[in-house]
Amino acid sequence: MDLKKYIPSLQWLPYYNQTQLKGDLSAGITVGIMLIPQGMAYAMLAGLEPIHGLYAVTVPLVIYALFGSSRQLAVGPVAMVSLLTAAGISSLGPDSPEAYLLYALTLAFLVGAIQFFMGALRLGFVVNFLSHPVINGFTSAAAIIIGLSQVKHLLNISLPNSEHVQEMVVAIGQHIGDIHWLTFGLGVLGILIIKFGKKIHPALPAPLLAVALGILLVWGFGLTDKGVKIVGDVPGGLPALSFPSFDMSTWSTLLPIALTISLVGFAESFAVAKTIQAKHKNYRLDANQELVALGLSNFGAAFFSGYPVTGGFSRTAVNNQAGAKTTLASVISAGLILLTLLFFTGLFYYLPSAILAAVVLVAVAGLIDFKEPVNLWYKDKADFAMLIATFLITLTMGIETGIIMGMILSLLVVIYRASRPHMAQLGRVPGTKIYRNIRRFKDLEINKNLLIVRIDGPIYFANVEYIRDKMDLWLSERKNQTKMIIFNMESITSIDSTGAHALYEWIQTWRSDKIDVCITGTKGPIRDVLDKWKLIECIGADHMFMDDYSATAFFEQTLDTKSQEKYAPYALQSNAEKK
Amino acid sequence: MDLKKYIPSLQWLPYYNQTQLKGDLSAGITVGIMLIPQGMAYAMLAGLEPIHGLYAVTVPLVIYALFGSSRQLAVGPVAMVSLLTAAGISSLGPDSPEAYLLYALTLAFLVGAIQFFMGALRLGFVVNFLSHPVINGFTSAAAIIIGLSQVKHLLNISLPNSEHVQEMVVAIGQHIGDIHWLTFGLGVLGILIIKFGKKIHPALPAPLLAVALGILLVWGFGLTDKGVKIVGDVPGGLPALSFPSFDMSTWSTLLPIALTISLVGFAESFAVAKTIQAKHKNYRLDANQELVALGLSNFGAAFFSGYPVTGGFSRTAVNNQAGAKTTLASVISAGLILLTLLFFTGLFYYLPSAILAAVVLVAVAGLIDFKEPVNLWYKDKADFAMLIATFLITLTMGIETGIIMGMILSLLVVIYRASRPHMAQLGRVPGTKIYRNIRRFKDLEINKNLLIVRIDGPIYFANVEYIRDKMDLWLSERKNQTKMIIFNMESITSIDSTGAHALYEWIQTWRSDKIDVCITGTKGPIRDVLDKWKLIECIGADHMFMDDYSATAFFEQTLDTKSQEKYAPYALQSNAEKK
């Protein structure tokens, strides 16, 4: 029965023990406490009422606990996805908070559907096509944009919604005189508490301390009268059942942002899951199962008043440090949030927005990476250029354009590399039957009339042009003295129909130019493909050899006998030139 | 001076001779005569007045003649690009013929800009990422859609504009009673003449014969009074200077279709140019120069009242068969068209639309490929599935969706393959210093404590996950008895920053698991990369070897001495198990 593959929690549940429970309890409570301010802060960043951030860490966490293949991943709202949600929805100009929420629910539903089906179709590998420098440049720029978006809460000034840094900076400059210093002071206090609390111990609930202190200060000194903005009424009770929109035109307008969130969210989540899994090694991580689990979690968010969620970086690290052994820790976190929703939401009435802004600011400040660009500048100029390009595009043209351009940049690199397989001309190591790359080994025996070529990789649509061009180049470098090409196929792993068509055409062309062709070292599956496409018939079964040595012997034989008639004009010349 | 590279016509112009002129004259006149009905028919397919098809084969042809690297390519309107133009513009709902024309000019301008800059940025390689089966499926479906779009002219019935086959078929069914049999008869006559004319001799101007006969019949028997639709006034005179729109919002709405036309047009053009070049071999074809030349030609179309052009399949074949030796043939064709525009446009007044429909129908009928799907069904099921998927999507969801889904399908294959480099475990050929793939060679010497791995390809962002997973799999298959991993890097061609980071992390992880790591066979550039990223420092200079044999010797030495302490618990076990 394969049920354990699809519900990975069944792998540990039957063997669950007390030691694990101890760790899970400690981690579950730590992360739960962390989630209260984070959930509200990120919901605010996403443009939603803070309560939806708390709803988003109830049902989705339980679903992930069941289906996730990571045992330490802490799912919930994260900064990047929250910002993408805000950017995506505000560009549609919803006319009321209800419409805004409906868009957020629909987005969660679409993200869930995309991730679920990508997982079911085993497309987890596509996450590979976001390269390290692109993610790095994008994350740093996004962190700056997120940070700037919180300035209005920190300074209590009103700024227009924007995700273009130049506009944001100008707007902040224009409103610099309106700063509400009391709010700013509270925010700075919050930042300091969170920042230094983190330094004392990473599992210290410093954000919750900041929240508590903020509430006490505002309530005790009546700061609302002095103009400090507060969160206000936070409705109590369990998350209500909600429904996304099933309107096709809404779907198609939300699709691009949903795709972006699906990929970015999964990339972040999977990266952190991998890092943590490498420290444990007592379970296997499955990219496709992760997609399915995150997809189902997002369905949970869509139907229980949340908004898009994914695995978070710092939260997962805290979960692991606090001792999480299984995903039961997440269930405990969710339980803590449910208790809060039932009994303690009234406490958050006086919570100042500036403290939530402080939570976000400290979280994203850590995402700005200065070291990597410097590192790449010295070590890999091409990757440095990709990082800076993605960074600048994201910063000046916005989050969505940034990630799309980053993907296109990464894809161009993949296509470029895929279209250029490694090819080598071979020569014989004197006195042996071994053939090696003539660019890498000296003193190899090379016959000017014989071109031995090895292609390292598959022959398929993306690289046939390159292979053809390279062959033409080598043939012309040899000034058309080539009388035989030996194709060493020992490193060829597959040939698709485009490759088979091309091979057929090349053989025909070369033969018509009086260049014979042999094939050596084919493996079983490749031989089958050649046979199906009638390429063995085309090339002749007597032109297929086990190794280059036998093919070379055949070449020398035909030169000495058959070739006298067949290649008469060449034979004389080549004998003279033969070393 | 590199001028000859950027203006390839300078390569042949100084050595131009009479033999070449003879061929070029014959070809230029043949193609020119072919262009008159084709230009008008394709313009009609694109939803434009027929005259713009003639304008499109004046200035653009001369520009291509100067800058093109192919010497036989015949540039002009083609069926696919015309249909894409019609589909793209009509979805924008232009409110007048003038607005429609402005869109067409702007499209030509954008296509020109995209192609020009792709060429300048040397992005010609991206054309590789449309696979053979995708192009095949797309072309067959597009041919059917184009054919159905001509039915209204052939039957003289009014049909709604659509590019979804199901709607088109239903609409034709509903109007089947309205068929104008006289028009239909004329169309069938046209088809027969063109079809059989082609069989008699491919260079016979059968389409022009059909056009002439059509005109004579309509004029002679006064068929317009009997309801036969004619082309009507065709304005005479040279193509007027025209200007595309420079409105940004127009640009952004046209951008997706412009991108599609740029890629599809270039793919078709380059494929035919390659085929013809292979027959001549007296010049080199350059993908990037081709993009630049087509881009400039499209600028010519934008500023001289044309619409998007590219190299056409059948026309180029005719040009070559008729003896074209250089692009002067295109200049001669353009001259013939200019003469027609100046003096003979009046002759086309009575030309029945049904004859132009016949020209298009015969052209596209040849594009429907039945053989390849059957072929692929037997030979390559995966490619068959791609062909059928692209075919069905294009047929039912339209041209644009079809080509985009085809590209995505192709891209997924590229990414999938790029993310799975070939990896082999190596073993020693007994009694030698040679190491081979243990899956392919029998009776190799394998030490259970030693994992020798060769990766064939680069280590970069797209494949690090796969490599890591494969290594984990192999390590667990060996039941954690591995004490040393030897990384054979002789086939590794490059390592990017993601690859370097990953290698660093792997080495750290394995070392912490008491698995030592050695690297063998690095080439110069790879050694430089390892050095820059401090990987040689990380692995230890004494762990770098020329070949697997030396590394194995080192492994056996350390096992006998150092390892006694370092790997004590493993040493005993492994000695017992050593074969």
Side-chain angles (χ1 to χ4, degrees):
Chain A
M1 188 59 180
D2 240 14
L3 208 58
K4 281 185 185 172
K5 210 187 142 194
Y6 298 109
I7 310 179
S9 48
L10 294 180
Q11 286 166 20
W12 52 261
L13 211 51
Y15 315 103
Y16 198 73
N17 62 40
Q18 233 177 337
T19 332
Q20 288 175 316
L21 181 62
K22 223 176 121 187
D24 285 343
L25 255 179
S26 144
I29 293 170
T30 308
V31 171
I33 288 173
M34 190 177 172
L35 276 174
I36 299 171
Q38 272 196 359
M40 296 202 285
Y42 290 147
M44 198 171 79
L45 170 59
L48 291 159
E49 290 292 316
I51 188 77
H52 294 289
L54 296 180
Y55 291 157
V57 287
T58 55
V59 178
L61 265 64
V62 178
I63 294 178
Y64 183 83
L66 278 172
F67 297 102
S69 71
S70 164
R71 296 193 185 166
Q72 282 83 25
L73 191 72
V75 167
V78 304
M80 191 87 78
V81 167
S82 301
L83 181 70
L84 282 168
T85 302
I89 299 180
S90 57
S91 73
L92 299 177
D95 45 17
S96 68
E98 290 72 36
Y100 196 102
L101 178 61
L102 186 63
Y103 278 136
L105 295 171
T106 312
L107 206 48
F109 180 77
L110 291 177
V111 169
I114 292 167
Q115 291 182 330
F116 181 84
F117 285 110
M118 276 181 72
L121 295 170
R122 316 205 71 67
L123 293 178
F125 67 89
V126 299
V127 77
N128 296 336
F129 80 117
L130 269 179
S131 81
H132 198 94
V134 160
I135 293 176
N136 193 289
F138 174 71
T139 306
S140 290
I144 292 173
I145 296 173
I146 295 173
L148 286 173
S149 79
Q150 296 303 300
V151 166
K152 61 180 172 197
H153 299 296
L154 194 69
L155 306 183
N156 201 3
I157 56 181
S158 63
L159 295 175
N161 264 330
S162 170
E163 45 157 328
H164 300 270
V165 163
Q166 59 279 31
E167 290 169 23
M168 294 168 97
V169 170
V170 167
I172 291 170
Q174 286 168 343
H175 293 80
I176 202 83
D178 309 341
I179 295 179
H180 189 261
W181 293 98
L182 193 57
T183 305
F184 185 47
L186 269 176
V188 171
L189 186 69
I191 291 174
L192 292 175
I193 292 173
I194 302 169
K195 193 89 193 142
F196 287 104
K198 239 185 186 173
K199 277 194 184 157
I200 296 168
H201 194 279
L204 192 80
L208 198 70
L209 282 181
V211 163
L213 191 66
I215 293 171
L216 282 175
L217 286 173
V218 172
W219 174 70
F221 295 96
L223 299 186
T224 42
D225 301 337
K226 297 188 174 131
V228 171
K229 289 239 173 79
I230 55 170
V231 164
D233 265 329
V234 179
L238 299 177
L241 207 63
S242 64
F243 291 97
S245 161
F246 288 94
D247 173 45
M248 277 299 149
S249 76
T250 307
W251 280 23
S252 67
T253 48
L254 284 174
L255 199 62
I257 193 87
L259 265 171
T260 312
I261 292 178
S262 305
L263 289 175
V264 173
F266 175 60
E268 176 174 353
S269 181
F270 194 66
V272 62
K274 269 259 157 181
T275 313
I276 301 292
Q277 187 270 346
K279 292 182 183 160
H280 290 274
K281 294 203 189 79
N282 59 341
Y283 59 89
R284 280 189 70 81
L285 208 59
D286 177 344
N288 297 309
Q289 182 63 29
E290 281 300 288
L291 274 167
V292 168
L294 287 177
L296 293 174
S297 296
N298 275 305
F299 282 142
F303 289 103
F304 290 93
S305 307
Y307 76 102
V309 295
T310 194
F313 220 92
S314 54
R315 203 181 303 144
T316 302
V318 168
N319 195 31
N320 182 50
Q321 276 168 343
K325 296 285 175 272
T326 73
T327 49
L328 195 73
S330 287
V331 178
I332 293 164
S333 300
L336 198 78
I337 300 293
L338 287 172
L339 283 179
T340 309
L341 283 170
L342 283 174
F343 305 112
F344 308 119
T345 53
L347 296 179
F348 299 118
Y349 184 85
Y350 286 109
L351 173 58
S353 304
I355 294 285
L356 291 182
V359 171
V360 173
L361 278 169
V362 176
V364 298
L367 296 178
I368 304 173
D369 190 344
F370 296 103
K371 274 188 211 154
E372 188 65 8
V374 174
N375 207 1
L376 286 178
W377 168 257
Y378 289 111
K379 291 170 180 169
D380 195 327
K381 293 277 193 296
D383 278 2
F384 172 78
M386 273 179 66
L387 189 156
I388 294 299
T390 313
F391 177 78
L392 290 178
I393 291 171
T394 309
L395 214 54
T396 56
M397 302 175 69
I399 293 270
E400 250 189 295
T401 315
I403 195 71
I404 290 166
M405 290 306 293
M407 283 180 191
I408 292 175
L409 269 179
S410 297
L411 264 177
L412 282 177
V413 174
V414 172
I415 296 167
Y416 182 74
R417 286 184 188 253
S419 69
R420 301 167 71 87
H422 183 242
M423 291 174 69
Q425 294 185 57
L426 305 184
R428 176 158 66 170
V429 180
T432 71
K433 295 182 177 182
I434 299 170
Y435 288 74
R436 287 290 162 87
N437 185 349
I438 61 170
R439 295 270 157 90
R440 290 188 49 230
F441 292 82
K442 280 180 187 165
D443 305 321
L444 296 179
E445 279 176 25
I446 302 164
N447 185 325
K448 277 193 181 174
N449 302 124
L450 179 63
L451 174 57
I452 311 177
V453 174
R454 194 187 67 217
I455 300 168
D456 295 331
I459 301 184
Y460 75 123
F461 65 86
N463 66 21
V464 289
E465 291 292 335
Y466 177 83
I467 295 173
R468 176 62 197 266
D469 285 346
K470 195 86 173 185
M471 292 301 294
D472 282 350
L473 180 71
W474 284 344
L475 287 171
S476 75
E477 272 177 8
R478 286 163 173 256
K479 299 200 180 61
N480 302 321
Q481 290 168 346
T482 310
K483 293 171 59 185
M484 186 186 275
I485 293 170
I486 296 179
F487 249 122
N488 179 321
M489 292 204 173
E490 64 180 45
S491 310
I492 292 179
T493 45
S494 70
I495 299 178
D496 77 346
S497 67
T498 311
H501 280 298
L503 254 179
Y504 195 91
E505 194 198 301
W506 299 340
I507 293 168
Q508 299 283 4
T509 312
W510 291 325
R511 290 256 169 95
S512 77
D513 289 347
K514 301 233 168 74
I515 302 174
D516 205 5
V517 183
C518 288
I519 288 178
T520 68
T522 49
K523 299 173 207 172
I526 295 299
R527 190 176 277 268
D528 291 346
V529 172
L530 294 181
D531 195 29
K532 270 192 196 163
W533 285 100
K534 301 222 158 71
L535 276 159
I536 294 185
E537 205 174 286
C538 160
I539 205 162
D542 59 332
H543 282 61
M544 306 278 299
F545 297 93
M546 275 299 290
D547 51 41
D548 301 327
Y549 182 74
S550 323
T552 308
F554 171 74
F555 165 71
E556 282 160 2
Q557 260 176 39
T558 50
L559 245 187
D560 290 338
T561 58
K562 256 177 37 190
S563 64
Q564 297 295 344
E565 311 114 47
K566 229 179 160 181
Y567 307 110
Y570 296 84
L572 286 170
Q573 195 191 353
S574 75
N575 279 332
E577 280 173 9
K578 218 173 170 182
K579 280 184 190 174
Chain B
M1 189 57 180
D2 239 16
L3 207 61
K4 281 184 186 173
K5 210 188 143 195
Y6 298 108
I7 309 177
S9 49
L10 294 181
Q11 286 164 21
W12 51 263
L13 210 52
Y15 314 103
Y16 199 75
N17 60 41
Q18 233 174 338
T19 332
Q20 288 175 317
L21 182 63
K22 221 174 124 188
D24 286 342
L25 254 179
S26 144
I29 292 169
T30 309
V31 171
I33 288 172
M34 189 178 172
L35 275 174
I36 298 170
Q38 273 198 358
M40 296 202 285
Y42 289 147
M44 196 171 80
L45 170 58
L48 291 160
E49 291 292 316
I51 188 77
H52 295 288
L54 295 181
Y55 292 156
V57 287
T58 55
V59 178
L61 265 64
V62 177
I63 294 178
Y64 183 83
L66 277 173
F67 296 101
S69 72
S70 164
R71 297 194 185 166
Q72 282 84 26
L73 191 73
V75 168
V78 304
M80 192 88 77
V81 168
S82 301
L83 182 69
L84 281 169
T85 302
I89 299 179
S90 57
S91 74
L92 299 177
D95 44 17
S96 68
E98 289 74 32
Y100 196 102
L101 177 61
L102 186 63
Y103 279 135
L105 295 171
T106 311
L107 207 48
F109 179 77
L110 290 178
V111 169
I114 292 168
Q115 290 181 331
F116 181 83
F117 285 110
M118 278 182 70
L121 295 171
R122 315 206 71 67
L123 293 177
F125 67 89
V126 300
V127 77
N128 296 337
F129 80 117
L130 268 178
S131 82
H132 198 95
V134 161
I135 293 176
N136 193 289
F138 174 73
T139 306
S140 289
I144 292 173
I145 296 175
I146 294 172
L148 285 173
S149 78
Q150 297 302 301
V151 166
K152 61 180 172 199
H153 299 298
L154 194 68
L155 305 182
N156 201 3
I157 56 182
S158 63
L159 294 175
N161 263 331
S162 170
E163 44 156 328
H164 300 270
V165 162
Q166 61 277 34
E167 291 168 23
M168 294 167 98
V169 170
V170 167
I172 291 169
Q174 286 168 342
H175 293 81
I176 203 81
D178 308 342
I179 294 179
H180 190 261
W181 292 99
L182 193 56
T183 305
F184 184 49
L186 268 176
V188 171
L189 186 69
I191 291 174
L192 293 176
I193 292 173
I194 302 169
K195 195 85 195 144
F196 288 103
K198 238 184 187 175
K199 279 197 181 152
I200 296 168
H201 195 279
L204 193 79
L208 199 70
L209 282 181
V211 163
L213 191 65
I215 292 172
L216 282 175
L217 285 174
V218 173
W219 174 69
F221 295 98
L223 298 186
T224 43
D225 301 338
K226 294 182 178 139
V228 172
K229 289 240 172 78
I230 55 169
V231 164
D233 266 328
V234 178
L238 298 178
L241 207 62
S242 64
F243 291 97
S245 161
F246 287 95
D247 173 45
M248 276 298 147
S249 76
T250 308
W251 279 24
S252 67
T253 48
L254 284 174
L255 200 63
I257 193 85
L259 264 170
T260 312
I261 293 178
S262 305
L263 288 175
V264 173
F266 175 59
E268 175 174 353
S269 180
F270 195 65
V272 62
K274 269 258 156 180
T275 313
I276 302 293
Q277 187 271 347
K279 291 182 185 163
H280 289 273
K281 295 203 189 77
N282 60 341
Y283 60 89
R284 280 189 70 80
L285 208 59
D286 176 345
N288 296 309
Q289 182 61 29
E290 280 301 288
L291 273 168
V292 168
L294 287 177
L296 293 173
S297 297
N298 274 305
F299 283 142
F303 290 103
F304 288 93
S305 308
Y307 75 103
V309 295
T310 195
F313 220 93
S314 54
R315 203 181 302 144
T316 301
V318 168
N319 194 32
N320 182 51
Q321 277 168 342
K325 295 286 175 273
T326 73
T327 48
L328 196 74
S330 287
V331 178
I332 293 164
S333 300
L336 197 78
I337 300 293
L338 286 171
L339 283 178
T340 308
L341 283 170
L342 283 174
F343 304 112
F344 307 119
T345 54
L347 296 180
F348 299 118
Y349 183 86
Y350 284 109
L351 172 58
S353 303
I355 293 285
L356 290 182
V359 171
V360 174
L361 278 169
V362 175
V364 298
L367 296 178
I368 304 174
D369 190 342
F370 296 103
K371 274 187 211 156
E372 188 67 6
V374 174
N375 207 3
L376 286 178
W377 169 256
Y378 288 112
K379 291 170 181 170
D380 194 327
K381 292 279 192 296
D383 278 1
F384 172 79
M386 274 179 63
L387 189 154
I388 294 300
T390 313
F391 177 78
L392 291 178
I393 292 170
T394 309
L395 214 52
T396 57
M397 302 175 70
I399 293 272
E400 249 190 296
T401 314
I403 194 72
I404 288 166
M405 290 305 295
M407 281 179 192
I408 290 175
L409 270 178
S410 297
L411 264 178
L412 282 177
V413 174
V414 172
I415 295 167
Y416 182 75
R417 288 184 186 254
S419 69
R420 301 166 71 88
H422 183 242
M423 290 173 69
Q425 296 184 58
L426 306 184
R428 177 159 65 170
V429 180
T432 70
K433 296 183 177 181
I434 299 170
Y435 287 75
R436 287 288 162 88
N437 185 349
I438 62 170
R439 295 271 157 90
R440 291 188 49 230
F441 291 82
K442 280 181 188 167
D443 305 321
L444 297 179
E445 278 177 24
I446 301 165
N447 185 325
K448 276 192 180 172
N449 302 123
L450 179 63
L451 175 57
I452 311 178
V453 174
R454 193 187 66 217
I455 300 168
D456 296 330
I459 301 184
Y460 75 123
F461 65 86
N463 66 21
V464 288
E465 290 292 336
Y466 177 83
I467 294 173
R468 176 61 196 268
D469 286 346
K470 196 87 173 184
M471 292 301 294
D472 281 350
L473 180 71
W474 284 345
L475 286 172
S476 75
E477 271 177 8
R478 285 163 174 255
K479 300 199 179 61
N480 303 320
Q481 291 169 346
T482 309
K483 293 170 60 184
M484 186 186 275
I485 294 170
I486 296 179
F487 249 122
N488 179 321
M489 292 205 172
E490 65 179 44
S491 311
I492 292 179
T493 45
S494 69
I495 299 179
D496 77 346
S497 67
T498 311
H501 279 298
L503 254 180
Y504 194 90
E505 193 198 302
W506 299 341
I507 292 169
Q508 299 284 3
T509 313
W510 289 326
R511 289 257 168 96
S512 76
D513 289 348
K514 301 232 167 75
I515 301 173
D516 204 7
V517 183
C518 287
I519 289 179
T520 68
T522 48
K523 298 173 206 171
I526 296 300
R527 189 176 278 268
D528 291 345
V529 172
L530 295 181
D531 195 28
K532 270 193 196 163
W533 285 99
K534 300 221 159 65
L535 276 160
I536 293 185
E537 206 174 285
C538 160
I539 204 161
D542 60 331
H543 283 62
M544 306 279 298
F545 298 93
M546 274 300 289
D547 52 39
D548 301 327
Y549 183 72
S550 322
T552 309
F554 171 75
F555 165 71
E556 281 160 1
Q557 260 176 39
T558 50
L559 246 187
D560 290 342
T561 59
K562 256 177 33 189
S563 64
Q564 297 295 343
E565 311 114 47
K566 230 179 161 180
Y567 306 111
Y570 295 87
L572 287 170
Q573 195 190 351
S574 75
N575 278 333
E577 280 173 9
K578 216 172 169 182
K579 281 185 187 173

